[in-house]
């Protein structure tokens, strides 16, 4: 099946800046406003090295996804690469882990956004406001997405721009407020600390695979996808390193114990700046939700299109050409998670699931290149794809190895459950036939 048949009914309207904005909006989520403190607790002043190392590994994976996107530019993104290279079962497992993990993350961030909004009100209003914010934000963004990919992409562009403002102010104001003495307090990290820091840094830098789920609506994909990934991932990695250094330079040892490190750093300069950063955290959460609801429902659409979910998920609205059933179903699931729990306790497991996806995705792209697969014109044909594949796979394997035994067993259980569901579904389909 060629790329036109696979994505029939979709409109290829997303350009390089639109896709880069989606990547930027997804990757820069709520984490950057909280994780620098935990990174400092794990590695102290060496924390930027964890971001740098993970940037190299994630950048190598991005190169693989550049190649995969130029060869299989279809809705579902990494699921499409793995399914094309290894068959339907590995594709189903990867796709299920991807959209389910994304829904948990989206729900958790929506819950955090609701908690921020409710915290400024009297206690008696907190519960109803929390529900209103979750349903209002997720429902509102979902409705925008059902009106078409162009409007949804414009919303992501605006959200990405707005979240840049407080981060830019943090960098500009913070550069002049650092103290050299705050870099002299050395923490000598042990293996556990290094592992924790690398997992957290990877958590910060993952998300590009979510945006690539909308590849079926990308214009001129063999050129757009590589450019967007390069713009998005390089800029995010550099920004994270700068933010970590500035936070360390302002707070020193206090950074390791801060739950809201960027806001606390700005409080050293001005209380007004602290409020601005807290508002920026809210904007960042909204931007994440906007980018996720643009991309993740396309995985459900791809499953429905390929017969791995009810065919209704693979339908598009005749007027807007948006996969409206997939969008609304995904939004309902994310809202359900947000209303019933938080995402904090699942952050590590989510990162490990992403690491497993990256391993399978990079291996799939390498196999697709060896086969000469190309569904939409001349592919990228990156010369050093082999080296990038090895770096990405070894880096992600090391990350998984650094996790605890229960976390690794949890990842195995997720994969096993996905396999069982697929086998049950396919056996039922064959029986009906």
């Amino acid at each position: 099946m060629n790329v036109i048949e696979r994505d029939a009914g979709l409109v290829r309207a997303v350009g390089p800046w639109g896709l880069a904005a989606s990547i930027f909006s997804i990757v820069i989520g709520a984490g950057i406003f909280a994780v620098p403190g935990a990174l400092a607790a794990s590695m102290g002043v060496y924390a930027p090295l964890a971001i740098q190392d993970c940037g190299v590994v994630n950048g190598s994976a991005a190169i693989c996804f550049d190649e995969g996107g130029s060869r299989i530019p279809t809705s579902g993104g990494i699921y499409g690469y793995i399914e094309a290279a290894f068959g339907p079962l590995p594709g189903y497992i990867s796709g299920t882990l991807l959209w389910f993990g994304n829904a948990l993350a989206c729900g958790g961030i929506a819950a955090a956004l609701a908690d921020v909004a409710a915290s400024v009100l009297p206690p008696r209003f907190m519960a109803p406001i929390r529900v209103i914010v979750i349903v209002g934000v997720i429902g509102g963004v979902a409705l925008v997405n059902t009106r078409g990919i162009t409007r949804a992409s414009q919303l992501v562009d605006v959200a990405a721009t707005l979240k840049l403002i407080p981060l830019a102010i943090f960098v500009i104001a913070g550069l002049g407020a650092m103290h050299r003495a705050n870099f002299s307090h050395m923490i000598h990290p042990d293996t556990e600390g290094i592992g924790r820091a690398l997992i957290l840094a990877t958590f910060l830098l993952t998300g590009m695979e979510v945006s690539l789920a909308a590849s079926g609506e990308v214009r001129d994909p063999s050129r757009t996808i590589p450019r967007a990934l390069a713009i998005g991932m390089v800029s995010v990695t550099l920004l994270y390193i700068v933010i970590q250094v500035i936070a360390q330079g302002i707070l020193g040892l206090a950074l390791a114990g801060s739950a809201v490190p960027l806001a606390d750093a700005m409080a050293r300069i001005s209380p007004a700046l602290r409020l601005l950063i807290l508002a920026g955290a809210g904007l960042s959460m909204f931007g994440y939700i906007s980018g996720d609801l643009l991309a993740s429902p396309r995985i459900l659409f791809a499953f429905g299109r390929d017969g791995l979910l009810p065919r209704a998920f693979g339908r598009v609205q005749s007027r807007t050409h948006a996969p409206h059933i997939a969008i609304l179903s995904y939004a309902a699931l994310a809202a359900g998670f947000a209303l019933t729990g938080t995402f904090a306790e699942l952050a590590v497991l989510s990162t490990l699931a992403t690491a497993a996806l990256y391993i399978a995705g990079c291996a799939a792209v390498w196999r697709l290149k060896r086969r000469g697969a190309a569904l939409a014109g001349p592919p990228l044909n990156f010369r050093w794809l082999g080296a990038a594949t090895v770096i990405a796979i070894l880096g992600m394997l090391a990350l998984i190895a650094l996790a605890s035994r229960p976390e690794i067993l949890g990842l195995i259980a997720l994969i096993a459950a996905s396999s069982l569901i697929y086998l049950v579904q396919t056996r039922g389909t064959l029986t009906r036939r």
Side-chain angles (χ1 to χ4, degrees):
M1 182 184 292
N2 63 39
V3 72
I4 296 176
E5 292 172 339
R6 287 174 66 89
D7 297 313
L10 298 179
V11 177
R12 291 190 176 272
V14 180
W17 288 106
L19 184 58
S22 176
I23 293 169
F24 193 90
S25 187
I26 285 287
V27 177
I28 298 186
I32 189 55
F33 293 91
V35 169
L39 279 175
S42 299
M43 290 191 67
V45 297
Y46 300 111
L49 295 178
I51 301 175
Q52 172 188 290
D53 292 345
C54 290
V56 171
V57 173
N58 281 47
S60 299
I63 290 173
C64 295
F65 298 157
D66 280 342
E67 187 73 33
S70 71
R71 291 178 179 275
I72 312 290
T74 183
S75 292
I78 190 172
Y79 153 66
Y81 314 158
I82 297 171
E83 192 272 341
F86 298 124
L89 176 57
Y92 182 86
I93 294 171
S94 63
T96 299
L97 292 176
L98 181 58
W99 71 257
F100 193 76
N102 291 347
L104 286 170
C106 182
I109 289 175
L113 177 59
D115 290 339
V116 169
S119 66
V120 300
L121 298 173
R124 65 179 182 274
F125 296 119
M126 291 181 65
I129 288 298
R130 189 175 186 275
V131 174
I132 291 171
V133 170
I134 289 171
V135 175
V137 170
I138 293 181
V141 173
L143 289 177
V144 171
N145 274 266
T146 61
R147 298 182 67 182
I149 189 67
T150 301
R151 289 183 181 273
S153 184
Q154 289 171 347
L155 178 62
V156 171
D157 290 347
V158 172
T161 302
L162 290 176
K163 77 165 59 177
L164 273 177
I165 296 173
L167 292 177
I169 292 174
F170 175 86
V171 172
I172 294 170
L175 283 173
M178 293 189 294
H179 302 283
R180 183 177 298 179
N182 287 331
F183 295 99
S184 62
H185 305 291
M186 297 295 182
I187 291 177
H188 299 286
D190 54 17
T191 302
E192 183 179 352
I194 293 173
R196 178 71 174 175
L198 291 174
I199 291 174
L200 289 169
T202 301
F203 177 72
L204 284 178
L205 291 168
T206 55
M208 57 182 167
E209 74 284 352
V210 179
S211 296
L212 292 178
S215 295
E217 291 154 288
V218 168
R219 184 175 63 249
D220 191 12
S222 63
R223 293 168 59 87
T224 294
I225 292 174
R227 289 180 180 179
L229 277 171
I231 294 169
M233 293 307 298
V234 171
S235 61
V236 167
T237 302
L238 292 176
L239 178 61
Y240 280 175
I241 291 174
V242 170
I243 288 173
Q244 185 72 36
V245 170
I246 292 175
Q248 180 69 44
I250 296 176
L251 293 176
L253 289 175
L255 176 60
S258 175
V260 284
L262 273 60
D264 287 346
M266 289 296 96
R268 299 282 182 93
I269 303 173
S270 167
L273 289 178
R274 185 180 192 276
L275 292 176
L276 177 64
I277 295 301
L278 288 175
L283 285 173
S284 185
M285 294 172 193
F286 178 80
Y288 180 94
I289 294 169
S290 300
D292 185 63
L293 283 171
L294 168 67
S296 292
R298 270 67 184 180
I299 307 169
L300 294 178
F301 167 81
F303 270 30
R305 172 202 63 198
D306 295 343
L308 298 175
L309 282 176
R311 292 289 181 182
F313 286 95
R315 295 176 186 168
V316 296
Q317 204 169 39
S318 59
R319 183 173 59 85
T320 64
H321 301 281
H324 57 297
I325 296 176
I327 292 169
L328 295 176
S329 299
Y330 180 86
L333 180 63
F337 286 140
L339 291 168
T340 56
T342 66
F343 182 64
E345 65 271 19
L346 299 174
V348 172
L349 182 57
S350 173
T351 304
L352 296 180
T354 300
L357 287 171
Y358 279 21
I359 291 169
C362 292
V365 171
W366 172 250
R367 188 170 188 181
L368 290 172
K369 183 179 181 182
R370 289 178 62 86
R371 288 180 178 177
L375 298 184
L380 184 61
N381 275 322
F382 183 69
R383 183 177 181 181
W384 305 108
L385 181 66
T389 302
V390 171
I391 292 171
I393 290 178
L394 290 180
M396 293 299 166
L397 285 172
L399 182 73
I400 294 174
L402 288 169
S404 68
R405 180 178 295 180
E407 291 162 352
I408 295 174
L409 291 176
L411 176 61
I412 294 172
L414 284 172
I415 295 173
S418 300
S419 303
L420 180 61
I421 292 171
Y422 174 82
L423 294 174
V424 171
Q425 285 181 334
T426 52
R427 178 174 295 181
T429 300
L430 290 174
T431 300
R432 287 193 297 272
R433 289 179 179 176

